[in-house]
Amino acid sequence: MSEVLFKTEKLSKSYVSGRRTVNALEEIDLVIRRGEFVAITGHSGSGKTTLLNILACLDRGSSGKVLFDGVDVQKLGASELNRVRRDKVGFVFQSFNLLPYLSAKENVELPMEVGRLRKEKRTERSTDLLASVGLEGRGDHRPNQLSAGEQQRVAIARALANGPSAVLADEPTGNLDPDNKAAVISILRRLNIEQGMTVIMVTHDGDVAERSERIVRLAKGKIRSEGRGKFLRTERKET
Amino acid sequence: MPIILHFRRNVLRNRTRALVIVVMVGLTLGVFLVLSQVGNSIVAYTGEVEASVPNIITVQPANNFIGGGYFSLTIGAGSTTGLDANASAIVAATPNVVSVQRVFTQPLDLSSATSGATSGGSFTCGSASNPGVLGEDTTSQLKLVLGGLSGAGAVDVVEGRSLASSDENSTTALVSQAYATATGKGIGSNMDVNGTEFTVVGIFSQSCYTLIFPYPAAASALGITQASILYVVVNQYQNLATSLSSLQSRLGSSFNVQILANADRSSLQGAISAILLAANFGEYAALASGAGIVVVVFAMINSRRTKEFGLLKALGFGNAHILAEMLLESLVFTVVGLPVALAISYIAGPGLAQTILGGVGASTQLASPGSGGANVSARGGSNPFLQGIHFAPTLEVVLFGLAVTLILGLLGGLYPAVRALRLRPTEALRHE
């Protein structure tokens, strides 16, 4: 049994919307081990994106614990959270969030810049990462010169820039056609299989969720059920 | 340096945004520079006016009444006033006194005076055979005066020239038009006054029969040893009261020491203060509105970058990094806007200044009581405020503009930066 990477204990998140208080998450207890490929699913408003944001240190819970690599990130200051986001988390957004005035290569190098990696190293690494997502020779293209699927692949390469412990993806296939959807899932699976990368993916798409190793279903801010996906550990060995 | 690297890419690849900001900053700063120059010109001109208005104290004998007529006289031949060389020396030695102008007034031949003569010895307008004489020092800062009394007008020479300081020890003379016409005197004519020959060098506008001679020659020819009145010029308006007290104390109660036209002088001072306040207000108002515009422009443009800031935070960029980048960006934009501002100031400045000050014409020439108006010789033309304005970018203007731009840049960058930093990455990323 591999070590625990993420662990939440009675994690709750509430916020005020207008005059009413919304309980986005209620006492979530969840364990994700290093190397797992987990899909978090649920209907809109179920709290899946909120949970992912908290795991990615983009947001904080209202109460409870969030242990990331053994550290309770709920207690970390802003600068320490920055470091966690920079060094340990790779985040993939549904809408890619590439900076339009940077080339694909520069977008991938962006997290490395704040990580103070030397330029030669950055160039070498970004070239390798783009190649690993099938974008050899497209490094100088701006986002508006790339298809949606290509942009999402650039975003995945960017998420891997600083060698994170986990890749967290929020609806990574939400804006993609079936072919690109399959390609992106394939990349994430390959990362998990070949590099042992922990992947946590939020999706409302049942087919996509089925391609993960474990499925966590949320409803009204609570974990309703957990199950296994079709991506079995045996498949890893075969790949 | 990731800050500079990211900033450079951001600016160079968002040229439209950069251009809009630079133009806005340049326009705002350019208008401010123009208003600043206009304000400086107003301040300088009013300063000249203020400096040119004499601060005058009069010294008269206490036992003699002088005044009441256009050409007034109470001191008959042989009368004493006490305003002799000793009194003049005491006055001249008083602190803050810049110069002393001795003046005496007297009919040329009192024994045969007829026109306007009264039992009290007053002399109204004289005649061709019995004109009034004014002896005046020509070396003082003051102009020649008619009547030699409070409120009397300045000499208006219509032919020839006036008396200059170089005439002080000469026997030159000015004659009134009435006297010149009646006696046939013209420029270069000679006149014998008790054996001293005076030469007419100028004719001034007046319907009375009046002659003006330099004080020493007139006193010598007429046997005058004491002046009728002393005009004392004090160095600063603020020192008038002190000087008044000091003079009265030194001269004693035999003399009346008064500030000439104090009320008018105060009124002038008040007007100048109001003008300066208005000029400064306009300048500061322009700066405040300029800063407001720049801040709003930066805020509007940067609010569209909120999502970008959210992304940078999500990727691990710290608040200090984002703050430094935004401040660097706003500073660079404002500094780049400076040449634009200088160009706008240079090109549009004259037109804008004309629009602002165009309604202020020759009537702006301020008059000072008893001295014939402010002597601001450096400002000719129809609009004195416009004469001294220069819009060419001097080192002083560039440095001033640079200081203002840096302040505007910091103000413009700080607000949106702080606003962006307060957002959590997830909030910022939701912005569209």
Side-chain angles (χ1 to χ4, degrees):
Chain A
M1 184 71 71
S2 55
E3 63 180 300
V4 173
L5 186 60
F6 289 98
K7 183 178 183 184
T8 68
E9 294 176 6
K10 296 188 180 307
L11 173 65
S12 296
K13 172 74 176 178
S14 58
Y15 56 88
V16 176
S17 176
R19 287 185 175 180
R20 70 190 186 98
T21 301
V22 177
N23 295 316
L25 294 176
E26 289 184 52
E27 300 196 338
I28 299 284
D29 291 319
L30 178 67
V31 173
I32 295 173
R33 296 184 182 282
R34 197 179 290 277
E36 272 194 295
F37 191 144
V38 179
I40 301 173
T41 67
H43 296 297
S44 291
S46 60
K48 55 187 186 297
T49 294
T50 304
L51 176 60
L52 191 76
N53 286 341
I54 293 173
L55 293 176
C57 298
L58 295 176
D59 203 354
R60 290 178 191 270
S62 304
S63 63
K65 281 186 176 178
V66 180
L67 299 172
F68 182 12
D69 220 1
V71 176
D72 187 354
V73 293
Q74 291 275 84
K75 293 178 179 172
L76 295 183
S79 58
E80 289 165 313
L81 280 179
N82 274 339
R83 272 198 291 276
V84 172
R85 287 197 292 264
R86 184 187 72 196
D87 299 332
K88 294 191 170 184
V89 176
F91 203 93
V92 179
F93 301 91
Q94 178 179 357
S95 52
F96 326 134
N97 282 338
L98 300 177
L99 290 182
Y101 54 85
L102 299 185
S103 66
K105 192 163 69 72
E106 288 165 341
N107 267 292
V108 174
E109 287 180 16
L110 199 56
M112 300 184 222
E113 287 171 9
V114 75
R116 299 184 188 282
L117 206 63
R118 290 168 62 87
K119 180 160 174 43
E120 303 78 46
K121 285 279 181 191
R122 289 203 305 263
T123 306
E124 185 185 334
R125 184 157 173 75
S126 62
T127 306
D128 289 348
L129 286 169
L130 284 172
S132 73
V133 295
L135 290 174
E136 300 94 336
R138 307 295 301 274
D140 292 331
H141 289 204
R142 298 272 184 90
N144 62 2
Q145 295 169 315
L146 300 171
S147 71
E150 287 169 333
Q151 288 185 52
Q152 192 60 300
R153 280 188 272 164
V154 173
I156 292 171
R158 182 181 63 189
L160 299 170
N162 285 333
S165 304
V167 169
L168 288 79
D170 185 9
E171 301 277 11
T173 58
N175 286 354
L176 304 180
D177 58 49
D179 287 345
N180 279 310
K181 191 187 292 184
V184 164
I185 293 299
S186 173
I187 290 170
L188 292 175
R189 284 180 58 171
R190 204 174 67 234
L191 272 173
N192 179 252
I193 294 163
E194 293 177 357
Q195 298 179 23
M197 179 71 69
T198 307
V199 178
I200 306 171
M201 174 179 66
V202 158
T203 180
H204 67 275
D205 186 327
D207 291 341
V208 172
E210 284 295 322
R211 302 193 65 184
S212 69
E213 185 179 3
R214 177 155 71 108
I215 302 170
V216 177
R217 294 186 182 85
L218 291 185
K220 295 182 180 176
K222 294 179 179 173
I223 295 178
R224 274 299 148 95
S225 64
E226 287 195 47
R228 303 202 68 78
K230 291 177 181 171
F231 173 36
L232 303 176
R233 288 196 174 272
T234 51
E235 191 178 346
R236 286 186 180 181
K237 291 170 189 167
E238 293 163 4
T239 308
Chain B
M1 288 293 287
I3 295 172
I4 295 173
L5 181 67
H6 192 227
F7 159 78
R8 205 178 62 211
R9 288 174 184 156
N10 185 10
V11 170
L12 292 179
R13 297 179 188 175
N14 287 289
R15 289 192 186 128
T16 307
R17 183 171 70 89
L19 193 65
V20 168
I21 295 175
V22 167
V23 168
M24 287 297 294
V25 169
L27 202 59
T28 301
L29 193 62
V31 171
F32 168 69
L33 286 178
V34 171
L35 289 180
S36 172
Q37 293 296 79
V38 168
N40 286 343
S41 176
I42 292 173
V43 170
Y45 177 62
T46 48
E48 287 176 34
V49 170
E50 193 175 19
S52 74
V53 177
N55 306 300
I56 305 166
I57 289 174
T58 58
V59 179
Q60 300 171 63
N63 60 344
N64 284 304
F65 170 74
I66 300 179
Y70 181 71
F71 186 92
S72 305
L73 178 71
T74 57
I75 306 164
S79 297
T80 59
T81 64
L83 291 173
D84 54 12
N86 183 45
S88 296
I90 290 172
V91 171
T94 303
N96 301 321
V97 169
V98 176
S99 66
V100 180
Q101 182 174 7
R102 296 170 298 173
V103 176
F104 75 80
T105 62
Q106 184 174 311
L108 185 57
D109 183 2
L110 188 62
S111 61
S112 60
T114 52
S115 176
T118 68
S119 58
S122 92
F123 181 91
T124 308
C125 206
S127 65
S129 59
N130 187 27
V133 170
L134 273 164
E136 301 187 31
D137 280 318
T138 59
T139 51
S140 162
Q141 290 188 347
L142 294 172
K143 292 183 173 182
L144 296 177
V145 294
L146 279 173
L149 302 170
S150 301
V155 170
D156 179 19
V157 174
V158 294
E159 191 179 341
R161 65 172 178 86
S162 185
L163 297 183
S165 57
S166 57
D167 292 310
E168 179 72 1
N169 296 311
S170 72
T171 53
T172 50
L174 298 181
V175 298
S176 68
Q177 273 181 317
Y179 181 83
T181 304
T183 60
K185 299 289 185 191
I187 304 300
S189 298
N190 292 325
M191 306 164 52
D192 188 304
V193 178
N194 293 339
T196 301
E197 194 163 86
F198 286 85
T199 304
V200 176
V201 295
I203 298 171
F204 59 93
S205 172
Q206 197 191 38
S207 57
C208 287
Y209 300 88
T210 309
L211 312 176
I212 300 176
F213 301 144
Y215 189 96
S220 173
L222 296 170
I224 298 295
T225 57
Q226 299 177 13
S228 306
I229 187 169
L230 301 181
Y231 285 93
V232 182
V233 179
V234 175
N235 57 359
Q236 285 182 349
Y237 173 71
Q238 292 83 348
N239 293 329
L240 274 176
T242 311
S243 300
L244 178 78
S245 169
S246 180
L247 281 168
Q248 189 71 72
S249 168
R250 287 166 182 241
L251 292 168
S253 59
S254 302
F255 298 93
N256 280 336
V257 183
Q258 293 176 311
I259 295 173
L260 179 62
N262 189 35
D264 289 344
R265 187 67 173 74
S266 294
S267 164
L268 178 68
Q269 189 77 14
I272 287 174
S273 297
I275 291 169
L276 293 178
L277 183 67
N280 287 334
F281 177 78
E283 221 174 301
Y284 293 131
L287 181 61
S289 57
I293 290 170
V294 170
V295 170
V296 167
V297 167
F298 273 104
M300 282 173 62
I301 288 176
N302 283 324
S303 70
R304 303 183 66 167
R305 297 177 65 198
T306 305
K307 192 171 182 177
E308 178 184 333
F309 298 140
L311 174 69
L312 293 178
K313 282 185 166 190
L315 295 178
F317 283 76
N319 282 351
H321 180 107
I322 296 173
L323 180 68
E325 188 183 318
M326 291 186 72
L327 289 180
L328 175 70
E329 184 178 305
S330 58
L331 282 176
V332 169
F333 277 141
T334 46
V335 170
V336 172
L338 182 59
V340 178
L342 292 172
I344 288 172
S345 169
Y346 184 65
I347 295 165
L352 198 55
Q354 179 66 40
T355 305
I356 295 168
L357 296 172
V360 188
S363 59
T364 316
Q365 293 280 357
L366 301 174
S368 76
S371 64
N375 178 24
V376 189
S377 55
R379 303 248 179 173
S382 60
N383 190 328
F385 288 118
L386 288 172
Q387 300 300 311
I389 301 182
H390 302 288
F391 293 101
T394 61
L395 180 64
E396 189 183 338
V397 169
V398 170
L399 291 177
F400 175 66
L402 193 61
V404 173
T405 20
L406 290 177
I407 293 169
L408 286 182
L410 284 175
L411 284 176
L414 205 56
Y415 169 71
V418 169
R419 186 171 166 273
L421 295 183
R422 290 174 64 181
L423 292 174
R424 289 196 303 272
T426 47
E427 290 175 312
L429 282 165
R430 276 198 289 270
H431 272 258
E432 287 299 337

